[in-house]
């Protein structure tokens, strides 16, 4: 019996040792799997965060082109805007994150090419909206082929990231099942094995918390992408209720983000603009338009009025119903005030020129009429509506080459004048004129056109000739 008990004890001890060895090996394998799993989970979230940021910046680039097409004085090169720089940084980050995944690398390279092609396409559309005839046009780029391709690539990369994440989660569940089995086995083999299992669980919890902290840090970095933007970046639902706002909203209006989220943007609109803004939102909601642009006023916390330029893009479901709106709000208060002062100055100048007792006309570089005095219209036998926006050479095709040469010299920056010039009429009579052609300049110092002044001095010239004749007669 003693030997039998000894053999049984030895067998149990051997089994325990084997179980401890197996559990130890499982614990080591599980530790390695947990480390690998946490690293890959963090990597997958980083890839998705970069893809989300890339899509947001591409939307911001689209909206920025609409804003710049509407902005009269916006002529800066596109390649220096923050959206373009951030797109390049995000593509480089995505290329680094997918360096160990050949299929994702191929998609990343293709996405970079598509983004550059879309950028060039937007630049071409923007060049087509250069100022013409004193006005600036707006063209909505309706070709979404490149955007659809970029969206398809983004969805494919997200799906692959989600698929890999699902596989890793399944592996994690398998690891948990193994851990539970190991915990039961270790409990049966003794308290020492239980303590080892508890220690392994604690280490796993610490790693899990570290992974969650890394994910939270990644989300914080993603949200900070729009923190330094000067324009308000927003998201609203289909009814115009704020869902997302960045710090620029508080800087411009004085209202905090917390007290604004959940409220309609019409609550902040100026009463004179609220009805028009609501009507525009209703039209956009029930139309098939992709973008919306609208200037309006808001009442700031300090009681002041701010002018904002809305640039928005709608997101619709499969049935075409609007479910959210994203876009930017640009503070154009200073520009509106400058334009208002310019309009008042132009109106005062028009009134002065209108009543001046000489013939005066202002032209652009193409000799297109900007405005003309009453005396000018009487002299040339035209009215205000007839000359508005018309070319001088088109109205008067028989302008002599010498006069055209004078206009050309003035457009080069030279003041050309003549104190007296005799004009013989077909009936044999003569007229005397004094004229001047001088350039006017844009704010940048370039010649914007010419101002032509003509004064009939026939009576004065005849009086001078009469005085001269009398003086000669007296001497004789």
């Amino acid at each position: 019996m003693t030997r039998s008990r000894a053999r049984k004890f030895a067998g149990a001890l051997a089994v325990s040792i084997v179980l401890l060895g197996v559990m130890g090996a499982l614990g080591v394998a599980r530790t390695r799997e947990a480390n690998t799993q946490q690293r890959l989970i963090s990597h997958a979230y980083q890839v998705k965060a970069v893809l989300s940021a890339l899509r947001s910046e591409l939307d911001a680039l689209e909206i920025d082109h609409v804003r710049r097409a509407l902005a009269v004085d916006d002529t800066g090169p596109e390649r220096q805007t923050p959206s373009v720089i951030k797109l390049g940084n995000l593509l480089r980050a995505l290329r680094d994150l997918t360096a160990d995944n050949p299929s994702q690398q191929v998609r990343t390279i293709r996405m970079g090419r598509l983004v550059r092609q879309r950028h060039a396409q937007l630049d071409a559309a923007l060049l087509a909206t250069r100022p013409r005839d004193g006005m600036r046009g707006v063209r909505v780029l309706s070709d979404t082929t490149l955007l659809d391709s970029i969206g398809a690539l983004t969805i494919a990369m997200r799906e692959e990231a989600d698929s890999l994440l699902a596989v890793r989660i399944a592996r994690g569940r398998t690891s948990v099942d193994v851990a539970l089995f190991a915990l039961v086995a270790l409990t049966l083999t003794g308290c020492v094995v239980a303590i080892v299992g508890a220690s392994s669980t604690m280490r796993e919890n610490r790693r899990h918390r570290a992974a969650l902290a890394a994910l939270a840090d990644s989300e914080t970095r993603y949200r900070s992408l729009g923190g330094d933007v000067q324009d308000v970046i927003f998201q609203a639902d289909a009814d115009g209720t704020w869902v997302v706002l960045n710090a620029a909203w508080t800087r411009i209006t004085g209202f905090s983000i917390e007290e604004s989220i959940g409220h309609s943007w019409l609550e902040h609109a100026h009463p004179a603009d609220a009805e028009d803004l609501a009507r525009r939102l209703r039209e956009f909601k029930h139309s098939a338009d992709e973008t919306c642009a609208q200037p309006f006023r808001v009442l700031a916390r300090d009681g002041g009025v701010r002018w904002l330029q809305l640039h928005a893009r709608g997101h619709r479901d499969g049935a075409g119903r609007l479910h959210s709106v994203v876009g930017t709000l640009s503070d154009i208060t200073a520009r509106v005030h400058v334009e208002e002062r310019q309009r008042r100055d132009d109106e005062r100048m028009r009134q002065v020129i209108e009543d001046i007792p000489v013939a005066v006309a202002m032209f652009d570089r193409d000799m297109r009429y900007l405005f003309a005095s009453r005396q000018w219209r009487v002299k040339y036998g035209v009215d205000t509506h007839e000359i508005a926006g018309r070319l001088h050479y088109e109205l008067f095709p028989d302008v002599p080459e010498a006069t055209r040469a004078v206009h050309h010299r003035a457009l080069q920056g030279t003041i050309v004048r003549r104190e007296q010039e005799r004009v013989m009429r077909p009936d044999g009579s003569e007229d005397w004129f004094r004229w001047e052609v001088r350039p006017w300049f844009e704010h940048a110092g370039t010649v914007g056109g010419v101002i032509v002044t003509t004064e009939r001095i026939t009576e004065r010239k005849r009086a001078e000739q009469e005085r001269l004749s009398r003086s000669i007669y007296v001497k004789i």
Side-chain angles (χ1 to χ4, degrees):
M1 292 296 295
T2 302
R3 290 182 178 179
S4 175
R5 289 178 179 177
R7 284 195 295 271
K8 289 181 180 179
F9 178 76
L13 182 60
V15 171
S16 298
I17 293 173
V18 171
L19 288 175
L20 286 173
V22 171
M23 294 305 102
L26 289 175
V28 172
R30 183 175 179 278
T31 300
R32 292 178 178 175
E33 176 64 20
N35 291 334
T36 303
Q37 179 181 341
Q38 296 303 325
R39 179 179 61 81
L40 294 177
I41 289 175
S42 177
H43 180 271
Y45 275 106
Q46 289 177 7
V47 170
K48 294 176 69 177
V50 171
L51 286 171
S52 298
L54 186 65
R55 184 63 187 182
S56 297
E57 286 302 323
L58 190 58
D59 288 342
L61 182 64
E62 297 277 330
I63 296 171
D64 187 61
H65 275 75
V66 177
R67 176 185 66 78
R68 296 183 64 217
L70 289 171
V72 176
D73 55 348
D74 186 3
T75 58
E78 174 60 27
R79 302 184 184 278
Q80 296 179 2
T81 59
S83 296
V84 177
I85 296 173
K86 287 182 180 179
L87 281 172
N89 293 336
L90 290 172
L91 285 172
R92 284 192 291 272
L94 187 61
R95 195 161 51 242
D96 294 337
L97 287 173
T98 58
D100 58 346
N101 191 328
S103 61
Q104 294 286 58
Q105 277 281 289
V106 171
R107 293 190 182 101
T108 301
I109 294 172
R110 186 182 175 194
M111 181 174 292
R113 292 173 180 171
L114 291 174
V115 168
R116 287 190 294 271
Q117 292 175 8
R118 182 59 177 177
H119 184 199
Q121 192 178 51
L122 289 172
D123 280 344
L126 184 61
L127 288 176
T129 62
R130 292 293 181 182
R132 295 179 178 176
D133 298 345
M135 303 291 292
R136 185 179 183 91
V138 177
R139 190 180 77 177
V140 176
L141 189 59
S142 59
D143 183 8
T144 59
T145 304
L146 293 175
L147 285 179
D148 293 341
S149 300
I150 293 173
L153 280 177
T154 303
I155 293 173
M157 296 183 76
R158 282 179 173 273
E159 289 177 350
E160 181 167 345
D162 290 337
S163 176
L164 292 174
L165 186 58
V167 172
R168 289 158 188 163
I169 291 174
R171 290 178 181 173
R173 290 175 180 172
T174 303
S175 298
V176 172
D177 294 339
V178 172
L180 291 175
F181 173 77
L183 182 61
V184 173
L186 289 173
T187 302
L188 295 176
T189 57
C191 295
V192 176
V193 178
I195 293 173
V196 173
S199 300
S200 176
T201 302
M202 292 176 62
R203 289 194 299 271
E204 175 62 22
N205 289 336
R206 285 195 296 270
R207 293 189 184 97
H208 183 65
R209 287 194 296 270
L212 291 177
L215 178 59
D217 182 65
S218 176
E219 291 179 351
T220 300
R221 289 196 300 270
Y222 168 69
R223 292 183 179 273
S224 67
L225 288 174
D228 297 330
V229 178
Q230 297 299 315
D231 294 343
V232 178
I233 298 178
F234 72 87
Q235 180 181 357
D237 61 17
D239 296 323
T241 301
W242 298 125
V243 177
V244 175
L245 290 166
N246 67 338
W249 171 258
T250 302
R251 185 179 65 255
I252 294 174
T253 66
F255 294 102
S256 66
I257 297 176
E258 292 74 14
E259 66 181 320
S260 301
I261 294 297
H263 293 270
S264 173
W265 56 16
L266 297 177
E267 296 181 17
H268 301 95
H270 192 281
D273 296 341
E275 183 178 352
D276 186 53
L277 189 62
R279 177 186 56 78
R280 186 70 181 90
L281 177 60
R282 289 193 301 269
E283 292 175 354
F284 182 63
K285 183 177 180 179
H286 296 96
S287 68
D289 295 339
E290 295 184 359
T291 59
C292 173
Q294 178 79 17
F296 67 98
R297 290 167 289 180
V298 297
L299 295 176
R301 179 181 287 277
D302 59 6
V305 177
R306 304 287 189 275
W307 276 94
L308 300 181
Q309 176 65 52
L310 167 69
H311 298 287
R313 175 180 291 274
H315 293 276
R316 305 179 186 273
D317 57 20
R321 293 185 296 268
L322 184 70
H323 62 79
S324 66
V325 180
V326 297
T328 61
L329 296 172
S330 304
D331 187 0
I332 59 172
T333 305
R335 192 186 77 192
V336 169
H337 290 167
V338 170
E339 291 174 351
E340 182 63 27
R341 287 195 299 270
Q342 185 64 43
R343 280 194 294 269
R344 290 197 298 267
D345 293 343
D346 289 346
E347 183 60 28
R348 284 194 293 267
M349 185 171 67
R350 286 176 184 273
Q351 292 176 0
V352 171
I353 293 179
E354 176 68 16
D355 298 328
I356 197 170
V358 295
V360 180
M362 188 173 184
F363 303 89
D364 62 12
R365 289 192 59 85
D366 298 324
M367 291 303 294
R368 191 183 307 276
Y369 278 93
L370 299 179
F371 47 82
S373 68
R374 184 184 298 108
Q375 291 292 331
W376 180 281
R377 298 195 301 272
V378 170
K379 174 184 175 182
Y380 287 98
V382 293
D383 56 31
T384 303
H385 301 292
E386 187 177 359
I387 66 174
R390 298 286 299 277
L391 294 174
H392 182 63
Y393 301 146
E394 179 182 307
L395 288 174
F396 305 101
D398 57 345
V399 175
E401 288 298 328
T403 304
R404 294 174 185 254
V406 169
H407 295 163
H408 180 73
R409 286 181 58 194
L411 288 172
Q412 302 304 312
T414 303
I415 299 176
V416 186
R417 66 167 60 93
R418 182 166 295 181
E419 294 300 326
Q420 57 184 18
E421 182 178 33
R422 187 174 65 172
V423 176
M424 299 301 299
R425 299 301 183 186
D427 60 359
S429 62
E430 65 177 14
D431 268 332
W432 290 86
F433 292 92
R434 176 183 178 274
W435 54 264
E436 178 183 271
V437 182
R438 64 169 55 238
W440 62 268
F441 298 89
E442 302 277 6
H443 293 295
T446 58
V447 176
V450 295
I451 299 175
V452 180
T453 305
T454 303
E455 181 182 3
R456 185 174 182 269
I457 59 173
T458 303
E459 289 75 12
R460 187 177 68 188
K461 189 67 177 176
R462 288 174 180 173
E464 290 177 356
Q465 291 175 350
E466 184 176 351
R467 285 196 300 271
L468 180 61
S469 298
R470 288 178 180 177
S471 63
I472 294 174
Y473 176 78
V474 171
K475 289 179 181 180
I476 295 175

